[in-house]
Amino acid sequence: MDFDLSEELTAVRDLAHGFAEKEIAPTAAKDDGEHTFRRDLVLKMGELGFHGCVIPEEYGGTNLGFFALALISEEIARVHSAIRVYINMQVGPALTLLDFGTEEQKRRWIPPLIRGEALGCFAITEPNAGSDVASMATTATKSDRGYILNGTKTWISNAPVADTAIVFAYTDKSKRHHGISAFYLDLNRSGVSRRTLGKLGTHASPTGELIFENFHIPEASRIGQEGEGFKICMRHLNHTRLGCAAGAVGLARAAREAAVSYANQREQFGQKIGQFQMNQDLIAQMVVHEEAARLLVYRAACLADRKQPNNLEVSIAKYAAAEAAAFAADVALRILGAYGYSTEFPVERYLRDAKSYQIVEGSSNIQKLIIAQDALGYRKANRQ
Ligand code: GRA
């Protein structure tokens, strides 16, 4: 596998780097502190083709691929992790429509998503259904004009602001996971209410509940066949976990850069604190975990670009990157001491944001379960 960046990929990475430094960095602390959702950035990233990099040109994308998506996600998250979430909210639904939508659905719904004009989200989790997706309670009951949706989805990024959502619901509870179906909804209609949830970090990316009460779904909004929802959900998560893993690498890098920069400036006991071997030990570990996670992300992305199964590789990358980010943020805070704890510097934000990567899109424990059960031969991770 060749991880040398082509000229095209180098240009995309540099574009994302420059964009993040110019458009995101100046207000990152303010956006976090004031919990500002930057819709303008969703649009700008759409204009630059970031949301469309894994979408074929016929649907408005650039078709650069998953390696490009990983590079972009890392660069954006390095500067402000919450803004990286915006990309997954557009890319995730667009990819699921690409994989499972009809030609008409693709032509109608993918372009506004990847331009950033229709804010997307995906609604899987419920108050009593997190890691165990099939325990969801939301139902889509057949009516003469389509379906009637009832239930509550929670911890949904973009829920307070989204125009559209991919929603998973039971169309036939008796069939267990074979009775779940997927729908693409217009949320600017009656029958849905929203509630914003407070959280530890990732403040510039709003999270909330979607409460559906007799929400009418037209028949034409179903994605795939009835009962295909669980499979669609797993495929969807496999795409979005990759972007998430790349974001975690970006955050680990930001924490490492902050720690190294401080260790090279701060003097105690007559020398730079980088000279102390206890700090060198921490910095060496940060470098190794970050670099290993990055290569694992690249491997998973290259497999996706070759259209080869990569569920196992995505889980390995997601687990490694989430842990690398949490480790690096914790270590950076220790190296910076009171300046790490201070809200006047970004390291405390890195620590708050890093924790999310161990929870979202399949927790670290779920990734370990997928990895270990594959190794033990209990459950094959790479399925189609
Ligand atoms: O044989 P079959 O016809 O019964 O099908 C099975 C299997 O082949 C069935 O699903 C199929 N399947 C798949 N199909 C395609 C399973 N995995 C895949 C796949 N990767 N691709 C049931 O399979 P199973 O193995 O018996 O299912 P299980 O035991 O329920 O699944 C295992 C597992 C724990 C891995 C799975 O449930 C899982 O990944 N859980 C974690 C869910 C998760 O990530 N939740 C996060 C929700 S979204 C979120 O975090 C929000 C982020 C976005 C935001 O910020 O808003």
Side-chain angles (χ1 to χ4, degrees), residues 95-164:
L95 276 171
T96 289
L97 289 165
L98 184 71
D99 283 346
F100 295 98
T102 62
E103 193 53 35
E104 200 204 325
Q105 289 175 332
K106 290 183 213 186
R107 292 202 180 279
R108 194 166 146 209
W109 292 327
I110 291 177
L113 275 170
I114 63 175
R115 286 198 298 263
E117 290 161 11
L119 291 178
C121 71
F122 45 96
I124 306 165
T125 303
E126 298 184 2
N128 294 316
S131 298
D132 181 6
V133 172
S135 68
M136 69 174 60
T138 298
T139 52
T141 311
K142 200 108 181 87
S143 75
D144 47 354
R145 293 178 300 127
Y147 301 84
I148 303 292
L149 186 66
N150 280 290
T152 297
K153 296 290 180 181
T154 194
W155 292 114
I156 311 304
S157 295
N158 266 7
V161 295
D163 300 302
T164 66

Side-chain angles (χ1 to χ4, degrees), residues 89 122 124-125 130-131 133 155-157 177-178 230-231 234 237 241 311 360-362 366 369-370 379 383-384:
M89 294 305 118
F122 45 96
I124 306 165
T125 303
S131 298
V133 172
W155 292 114
I156 311 304
S157 295
H177 65 270
H178 287 298
F230 193 89
K231 189 173 107 184
M234 289 301 132
L237 285 171
R241 282 173 187 165
N311 303 71
V360 295
E361 315 251 9
I366 284 293
L369 177 152
I370 293 169
R379 178 184 180 281
R383 317 176 186 203
Q384 284 305 312

Side-chain angles (χ1 to χ4, degrees), residues 160 235 280 342:
R235 183 89 69 89
Q280 290 179 2
S342 163

Side-chain angles (χ1 to χ4, degrees), residues 305-372:
D305 285 333
R306 292 179 185 178
K307 306 212 180 311
Q308 289 174 355
N310 70 347
N311 303 71
L312 177 63
E313 291 77 10
V314 165
S315 282
I316 294 173
K318 164 75 168 54
Y319 170 58
E323 297 306 311
F327 176 80
D330 179 53
V331 163
L333 202 135
R334 280 194 257 171
I335 290 176
L336 271 85
Y339 293 107
Y341 201 60
S342 163
T343 52
E344 286 177 27
F345 296 90
V347 171
E348 61 84 30
R349 165 163 62 86
Y350 300 159
L351 185 71
R352 288 185 285 104
D353 291 357
K355 296 308 289 180
S356 77
Y357 286 107
Q358 295 172 308
I359 300 167
V360 295
E361 315 251 9
S363 65
S364 282
N365 278 354
I366 284 293
Q367 309 310 330
K368 284 193 283 185
L369 177 152
I370 293 169
I371 297 160

Side-chain angles (χ1 to χ4, degrees), residues 12-13 16 49-50 53 67-77 87:
V12 169
R13 186 200 55 195
F50 293 176
C53 66
F67 205 158
L69 178 64
L71 296 169
I72 293 166
S73 300
E74 177 182 332
E75 293 298 336
I76 303 296
I87 301 176

Side-chain angles (χ1 to χ4, degrees), residues 280-314:
Q280 290 179 2
D281 169 54
L282 294 175
I283 287 169
Q285 290 191 60
M286 290 169 101
V287 170
V288 171
H289 294 318
E290 175 198 330
E291 193 67 8
R294 179 177 293 108
L295 292 172
L296 289 167
V297 167
Y298 286 1
R299 177 177 70 159
C302 284
L303 286 169
D305 285 333
R306 292 179 185 178
K307 306 212 180 311
Q308 289 174 355
N310 70 347
N311 303 71
L312 177 63
E313 291 77 10
V314 165

